[in-house]
Amino acid sequence: MKNCVSDGNTIDFTATAAVASGAPVLLGKVVAVSLGNVAIDEVGVGATEGVFELPKVTADDIGQGAQVYLKSDGMITSTASGNTLAGKAWAAAGNPSDTVWVKINA
C-alpha cells in the first residue's frame, strides 16, 4: 500500500508555547501527549493513542468511562462547555484527586 503516510499513533507539532514531556497538547480537535520537552517554535512529537495519567481539576468527580475534556490550561475536566473532548476516563478519579487516567481521542 503506497498511500499510507502514518500509523496514526504519533503526530509532529510545532510548539506555540514551551511543552513539558507528558503534557497534553491540543492540535485542532486532536489531543496529543508530548513525548519530550519541546521549546517554543520547535517541532515535537506527541502520542495520539493510549492511556495517560493527566492533571485534572481537583474538585471534579470523574467516573470510569466518562467523557473528559481538555481545558486551555492543560487540565482535564468533566465540564464540556468551552472545552475540547479529550477522551474517556480509564479509571475513576474522585474529588479531591489531582490526576485521572485518560484514553485520549476515544
Side-chain angles (χ1 to χ4, degrees), residues 69 71 77-84:
Y69 302 86
K71 296 176 49 168
T77 183
S78 57
T79 302
S81 181
N83 300 307
T84 303

Side-chain angles (χ1 to χ4, degrees), residues 7-87:
D7 62 13
N9 293 323
T10 61
I11 190 169
D12 293 344
F13 66 92
T14 300
T16 57
V19 178
S21 180
V25 178
L26 187 59
L27 306 170
K29 298 289 184 182
V30 174
V31 174
V33 175
S34 184
L35 298 180
N37 293 327
V38 185
I40 189 169
D41 294 327
E42 295 296 321
V43 175
V45 178
T48 57
E49 298 284 333
V51 178
F52 297 89
E53 184 174 20
L54 299 175
K56 76 175 238 335
V57 173
T58 303
D60 282 5
D61 187 12
I62 299 174
Q64 185 177 33
Q67 287 189 325
V68 293
Y69 302 86
L70 184 62
K71 296 176 49 168
S72 61
D73 65 1
M75 300 291 283
I76 297 294
T77 183
S78 57
T79 302
S81 181
N83 300 307
T84 303
L85 183 64

